[in-house]
Amino acid sequence: MTQWRSVLMACLLVLAGALTVTGVAQATPAAHTEQIAAAQPTESVPPGPDVNAPQQTDTGVATETKRKLWIGGIAVVLFALVYWRNKKRWDKWKKGRKAG
């Protein structure tokens, strides 16, 4: 069990290293100092939600979504079978090692 924890911790450290931001922050002022005019809105929009907003039509589940769900289900079943097989092999190996 300790070996699996070590492997998991190593994977997490690799992911953390890959996903963190590297480099030095630059805290320098902007190169230009002239005034920049902010854009002004050209039309006014009433505040709040639009009561008569267009509604989406219910298209149901797309065929691509169904395909992805099938592939995901098959992947989970295959993973469970491989896990179960490896667990049986591990138990058999462990029992043989204790006996001999």
Side-chain angles (χ1 to χ4, degrees), residues 54-93:
Q55 301 296 316
Q56 290 183 340
T57 58
D58 187 19
T59 58
V61 179
T63 57
E64 185 177 349
T65 305
K66 286 182 184 178
R67 186 178 63 84
K68 287 180 181 181
L69 286 172
W70 272 105
I71 291 172
I74 291 169
V76 167
V77 168
L78 288 175
F79 173 78
L81 289 172
V82 169
Y83 180 81
W84 180 60
R85 182 201 60 170
N86 287 345
K87 185 177 182 326
K88 282 181 29 180
R89 292 174 82 189
W90 169 259
D91 290 341
K92 183 179 175 184
W93 177 81

Side-chain angles (χ1 to χ4, degrees), residues 1-88:
M1 186 55 115
T2 306
Q3 182 182 10
W4 285 107
R5 287 181 184 167
S6 300
V7 170
L8 180 63
M9 185 55 73
C11 290
L12 288 175
L13 287 174
V14 168
L15 281 175
L19 297 177
T20 56
V21 178
T22 59
V24 180
Q26 298 292 330
T28 58
H32 59 281
T33 57
E34 66 271 357
Q35 297 289 334
I36 300 174
Q40 299 296 321
T42 56
E43 61 184 48
S44 65
V45 178
D50 186 9
V51 178
N52 297 321
Q55 301 296 316
Q56 290 183 340
T57 58
D58 187 19
T59 58
V61 179
T63 57
E64 185 177 349
T65 305
K66 286 182 184 178
R67 186 178 63 84
K68 287 180 181 181
L69 286 172
W70 272 105
I71 291 172
I74 291 169
V76 167
V77 168
L78 288 175
F79 173 78
L81 289 172
V82 169
Y83 180 81
W84 180 60
R85 182 201 60 170
N86 287 345
K87 185 177 182 326
K88 282 181 29 180

